[in-house]
Amino acid sequence: MEMFQYDFMQRAFLAAICIACIAPILGLLLILRKQSLLADTLSHVSLSGVALGLLIGVSPTVTTIVVVMIAALIMEYLSRVYKSYSEISVAILMSTGLAVALILMSLRKNAAGIKVEQYLFGSLVTVSSEQVSILIGLVIFIGGLYILFRKPLYVLLFDEDTAFTAGLPVRLMSLLINIVTGVTISVMMPIAGALLVASILILPTAISMRFSNSFTSVILWAMCIGFLGMVGGLYASYEYSTPPGATITLIFVTVLVFVNVIIFVKKWYQQQKAKV
């Protein structure tokens, strides 16, 4: 196919396949911990990392990873301080990250080269070999952690107090989840865009949860849906010159509507059949 003649498209599709593998695992962890907004918060914070990197002339990937790791540490601290009001830590970090990003952008507004807008909405040409390598490393790291620590994670997700009394390092595991999520978001941004990266983490899992009934089946179905949405979205983005993040998100939303319609029709048919 013509599009695969270009190096940036090859990198974009490799990155998309990696994201389709790891997004469902992180998405399920965030949903079950009732931290869906954490992804949105870290994506806003990562924008300040991109702006910082472009301002000082360092790879935005490096500065973004450093910034989101610091943000993950602060998030963990704030969530303990405001344990009964977790939305406060989300609001503080989201507004701070966006404010810092806007200030840094204003300092660089006349500079040439890559624009921050490409990271806001996603751009196929901004996917670098370095980011693809990091994503491949994350697939191995996250996949390995999930296989090795699936049962302790299961306990932590459904009952943190039980996990603590069982001797599990609850705080360390929680911090690790936040950091890995932040790093993943920072390398997903070139494709998804900072404004929509959270949807790519959450939507495949949310769709899968509508018809799957076990921990593992949710993740496997979410991977299939993620692959369909990521690859289909990139193809459509290349063919019709649309922003990749928005295109991928709309495909996921279309699948969500389709699945809900199927479930509704199935329930209606079963109710009608029971009446006969």
Side-chain angles (χ1 to χ4, degrees):
M1 295 174 72
E2 181 192 341
M3 70 175 75
F4 291 109
Q5 295 175 359
Y6 302 108
D7 289 343
F8 71 88
M9 285 305 297
Q10 294 173 10
R11 291 195 297 271
F13 273 95
L14 267 176
I17 292 170
C18 291
I19 291 170
C21 292
I22 55 179
I25 298 175
L26 294 177
L28 185 58
L29 294 181
L30 294 176
I31 290 173
L32 293 180
R33 298 182 75 205
K34 298 181 173 56
Q35 287 185 327
S36 298
L37 283 177
L38 174 65
D40 214 20
T41 303
L42 291 178
S43 67
H44 282 70
V45 172
S46 61
L47 196 58
S48 61
V50 172
L52 177 64
L54 296 177
L55 180 67
I56 63 177
V58 177
S59 168
T61 304
V62 175
T63 51
T64 305
I65 288 174
V66 173
V67 168
V68 294
M69 287 178 75
I70 294 171
L73 291 169
I74 297 173
M75 171 71 83
E76 182 64 23
Y77 171 74
L78 290 176
S79 65
R80 301 289 168 185
V81 172
Y82 299 104
K83 193 170 183 179
S84 301
Y85 307 96
S86 58
E87 71 278 5
I88 292 178
S89 56
V90 170
I92 292 172
L93 267 184
M94 188 181 289
S95 54
T96 304
L98 199 54
V100 172
L102 290 173
I103 295 293
L104 294 176
M105 282 182 217
S106 69
L107 297 175
R108 191 187 175 273
K109 58 185 176 183
N110 295 323
I114 296 175
K115 297 178 180 177
V116 175
E117 287 78 5
Q118 291 177 319
Y119 284 88
L120 266 177
F121 306 109
S123 172
L124 296 175
V125 297
T126 55
V127 182
S128 67
S129 301
E130 177 190 29
Q131 287 161 331
V132 174
S133 300
I134 294 174
L135 276 170
I136 292 173
L138 282 173
V139 170
I140 297 170
F141 181 70
I142 294 173
L145 282 182
Y146 174 73
I147 292 170
L148 288 173
F149 300 106
R150 187 168 63 89
K151 289 184 178 177
L153 268 176
Y154 190 83
V155 177
L156 175 71
L157 294 174
F158 287 98
D159 193 340
E160 195 168 305
D161 293 332
T162 301
F164 181 77
T165 54
L168 293 176
V170 172
R171 197 163 183 176
L172 179 63
M173 291 172 72
S174 177
L175 182 61
L176 189 60
I177 291 172
N178 288 355
I179 290 176
V180 171
T181 303
V183 173
T184 305
I185 286 172
S186 67
V187 288
M188 283 172 62
M189 273 214 311
I191 287 183
L195 298 180
L196 294 169
V197 67
S199 65
I200 293 176
L201 272 180
I202 300 300
L203 277 173
T205 307
I207 296 167
S208 177
M209 288 173 72
R210 292 289 291 136
F211 56 85
S212 302
N213 54 13
S214 75
F215 198 79
T216 303
S217 67
V218 167
I219 290 178
L220 292 178
W221 272 110
M223 285 181 177
C224 296
I225 295 166
F227 181 81
L228 172 71
M230 294 298 298
V231 173
L234 285 185
Y235 175 79
S237 175
Y238 175 82
E239 288 292 326
Y240 303 108
S241 300
T242 53
T247 311
I248 292 167
T249 301
L250 282 181
I251 288 179
F252 284 142
V253 172
T254 303
V255 174
L256 177 64
V257 171
F258 178 75
V259 167
N260 277 287
V261 169
I262 294 291
I263 291 172
F264 175 79
V265 171
K266 184 180 176 184
K267 284 184 178 177
W268 178 82
Y269 175 76
Q270 288 174 341
Q271 287 173 353
Q272 296 302 314
K273 191 176 178 182
K275 291 178 182 177
V276 176

